Structures are given as C-alpha cells and as structure tokens.
Amino acid sequence: MTELPRTDFKKTYRQVYAARATPTLVDVPELTMLAVDGVGDPEGPAYRQVVEALYGVAYTLRFGLKNAGVLEYPVMPLEGSGGARDCGTGRRRTGRPGTTR
C-alpha cells in the first residue's frame, strides 16, 4: 500500500492556530472550509444538529479522499464566529468596523 501524503492544517497554518500569551493581529489566508450561517441559541437542538451535520460531511470528505488515495488529514476542530445583528439591516456584524454579512 502506498503511503498517502499527510497534511496537518494546524501545522501548515501555524500562524493562524498557534496560541499566544497576548492578543495579536493575524493575517488569515483565504481558505476553503465548510460553513453554516444562522441565528439562535448555541445550546439548542438546532445548533447541535448543524454541528453534527458539519462533522458528518467533514469526516465523509476526509475518508473519501483517504480511500481514493488522494490525501490524509485530520478533521479540524469547530470554529465559531459570533456577533450582533445590525438592527437596521438584520445582517450580522463581523466585528470589523463597517462590515456586515
């Protein structure tokens, strides 16, 4: 059996994922990732279902690529981005001045 290339994205993007003792601005490169957008209680059942679906897709892709002999990699931990909604538009503020989604 041929050994597959293995990529650890936490190591590849160490500048993004490394813990720091003080707050630091980090330039995050453009990355492709699975994502969902929504509102609601992160302790609620809808959030749990979405997280389960995300991990289901992530592991399906991971094992599909591995079984096809393309690449092996660990599934990354869940990341979140929260913010307040702009009452005027209903769009979520990203935390950067003047930016909404």
Side-chain angles (χ1 to χ4, degrees):
M1 179 181 223
T2 305
E3 190 167 323
L4 295 177
R6 181 164 173 81
T7 299
D8 185 338
F9 295 110
K10 278 187 164 181
K11 290 179 182 175
T12 302
Y13 298 106
R14 188 178 313 273
Q15 75 280 7
V16 175
Y17 292 103
R20 293 172 179 78
T22 59
T24 306
L25 290 176
V26 176
D27 288 323
V28 179
E30 188 171 316
L31 300 168
T32 301
M33 58 185 68
L34 299 173
V36 294
D37 191 15
V39 296
D41 181 4
E43 300 294 327
Y47 182 81
R48 184 179 65 250
Q49 290 171 346
V50 168
V51 170
E52 288 172 358
L54 275 174
Y55 275 109
V57 171
Y59 277 98
T60 298
L61 288 171
R62 179 197 186 278
F63 287 113
L65 290 170
K66 180 180 177 179
N67 292 338
V70 176
L71 176 69
E72 185 175 359
Y73 62 93
V75 170
M76 297 292 287
L78 183 66
E79 295 183 36
S81 173
R85 294 258 171 205
D86 183 318
C87 294
T89 65
R91 294 185 295 180
R92 184 166 49 95
R93 292 200 168 274
T94 63
R96 286 178 245 141
T99 60
T100 57
R101 290 191 329 157

